[in-house]
Amino acid sequence: MADTEPVPDEMPAAVLTGFGGPEVLELRRVPLPVPAEGEVLVRVAAAAVNNTDVWTRQGAYGLPGRPDALAGWRGPVDFPRIQGGDIAGTVARVGEGVGAEWTGRRVLVDPAIYDGPSGDANPVGLLGSERDGGFAEYVVVRGERIHDMDESPLTDEELACLPVAYGTATGMLERGGIVADETVLVTGASGGVGLAAVQLATARGARVVALTAPGKDQLLLEAGASAVVHRHSDSAVVSAAVSEAAPSGLDAVIDVVGGPLLPVLLTHVTDGGRWVIAGGIGGPEIDFDLRRLYLHNISLIGSSMHTPAQFARLAEDAVAGRVRPRIASRYGLSAIHDAQEAFTRSKHIGKIVLTPS
């Protein structure tokens, strides 16, 4: 292994000990991980909080046929587990088979674990869930999962906002084939993935209609949205507002909410349109009329994270400065319980960032 700096034998980490409330997330000192062949040791400069962290702690993903079963993203989780999928930092050591020129470089980490080596491989795991992640001073990752950010104008904290939220949004836009001049509705538009989708779709030249809670209009307009529609308890009110904002219909929907609005808003999707879904915070089980799909050749697309090629495109956007994440607040690693509590209150706009030092 090649070193750039002395590293300790132990490090602080936020360790998940089981499914449950905040009490199962413990601050500990743990042995420093050692990179094996093909791996690198990254000194974490910043990490960000996601729904995935909270839902994994809660075991909220369910199992096939058992929606209320305690489970992680892919089912069982091996405890103890260091959480954290959003990671930016500096390469401190490289394992055998990784070029020594990587030592000392500022990097963005692709947190996905894939089912194969191709650029179109599917994610089957995630750092912080199936492997230890970045809520620690150091993390070991595969060498092919780091992207050089030495030339990026983004800060380490801004870079740490990208992997899960912007990676998921990039995957949704790619799978949905979003192109310039299309009208795209983004649900949950002020959340991490939603705000990322607004920015990225706008950068592609799409016209974005943002669906969100009242009081967040200015932020979304600044992010590039052409119109903002407010959530409402009466779905007919939302439907009427979408009709006004997109009188010619929607070419695509980028949906991280799901729930009862899906069948209502599906009627606004034009023939040959696409509905891409990557979340179900509004309700994972719904009823809708299948005829609205097949009679209008609408594609319903499930999207979980991103492929290696899609993340590489996001990394290029980061180097070029084409994205600029919004940071809602900052916490030290020792205040991770406060950070997760703030996250679950859903009052923030943008990303909540942790720094290990």
Side-chain angles (χ1 to χ4, degrees):
M1 293 182 297
D3 296 6
T4 60
E5 59 185 60
V7 295
D9 295 328
E10 292 185 337
M11 66 177 185
V15 180
L16 191 64
T17 60
F19 295 129
E23 72 281 354
V24 301
L25 185 60
E26 298 181 1
L27 290 164
R28 295 180 176 178
R29 292 198 66 83
V30 301
L32 190 81
V34 178
E37 183 176 357
E39 296 180 335
V40 301
L41 180 71
V42 174
R43 178 169 56 80
V44 179
V49 179
N50 291 285
N51 277 319
T52 301
D53 307 313
V54 177
W55 293 339
T56 297
R57 170 171 60 75
Q58 296 171 340
Y61 285 96
L63 295 170
R66 299 171 56 199
D68 295 328
L70 293 177
W73 184 57
R74 303 294 294 189
V77 174
D78 291 330
F79 301 112
R81 172 68 70 223
I82 299 173
Q83 289 199 281
D86 277 337
I87 305 162
T90 303
V91 176
R93 292 178 175 176
V94 298
E96 295 294 330
V98 180
E101 69 275 7
W102 278 101
T103 55
R105 287 191 186 177
R106 196 165 70 116
V107 295
L108 179 68
V109 176
D110 179 353
I113 301 165
Y114 297 104
D115 61 4
S118 77
D120 294 326
N122 293 306
V124 294
L126 177 71
L127 296 183
S129 177
E130 282 61 49
R131 286 189 61 176
D132 285 341
F135 290 169
E137 192 174 10
Y138 291 86
V139 62
V140 162
V141 302
R142 294 293 305 172
E144 63 268 23
R145 299 279 80 89
I146 56 174
H147 295 263
D148 188 350
M149 291 291 122
D150 276 348
E151 301 302 320
S152 173
L154 275 63
T155 67
D156 290 333
E157 292 179 347
E158 289 171 331
L159 289 172
C161 296
L162 296 179
V164 175
Y166 282 75
T168 297
T170 297
M172 296 178 79
L173 298 180
E174 290 282 305
R175 293 184 178 106
I178 307 303
V179 296
D181 299 324
E182 290 191 313
T183 299
V184 179
L185 176 71
V186 176
T187 71
S190 62
V193 177
L195 186 59
V198 171
Q199 292 180 337
L200 292 168
T202 299
R204 294 183 181 211
R207 178 180 182 271
V208 176
V209 178
L211 178 60
T212 189
K216 301 177 180 179
D217 298 37
Q218 188 58 38
L219 163 73
L220 291 165
L221 294 172
E222 291 173 357
S226 298
V228 178
V229 172
H230 295 155
R231 291 200 310 264
H232 197 282
S233 58
D234 187 342
S235 59
V237 173
V238 179
S239 181
V242 171
S243 290
E244 183 177 353
S248 298
L250 302 169
D251 296 296
V253 177
I254 300 299
D255 186 14
V256 297
V257 176
L261 273 180
L262 193 157
V264 176
L265 297 180
L266 190 61
T267 60
H268 294 277
V269 180
T270 60
D271 285 12
R274 296 87 68 203
W275 190 294
V276 188
I277 189 158
I281 58 176
E285 299 182 24
I286 60 171
D287 293 319
F288 68 93
D289 190 341
L290 287 172
R291 292 170 295 184
R292 300 285 67 78
L293 288 179
Y294 71 77
L295 290 177
H296 298 278
N297 294 309
I298 295 172
S299 299
L300 182 61
I301 304 166
S303 183
S304 181
M305 295 185 64
H306 49 262
T307 67
Q310 290 163 359
F311 194 89
R313 175 170 179 171
L314 174 62
E316 292 173 357
D317 287 339
V319 171
R322 287 189 286 266
V323 292
R324 180 70 70 172
R326 177 188 175 94
I327 298 173
S329 56
R330 299 167 175 84
Y331 293 81
L333 180 62
S334 61
I336 189 169
H337 295 92
D338 295 333
Q340 285 200 355
E341 181 185 358
F343 184 90
T344 57
R345 287 198 300 267
S346 299
K347 301 297 184 182
H348 62 286
I349 301 175
K351 297 286 288 182
I352 294 176
V353 175
L354 295 170
T355 53
S357 55

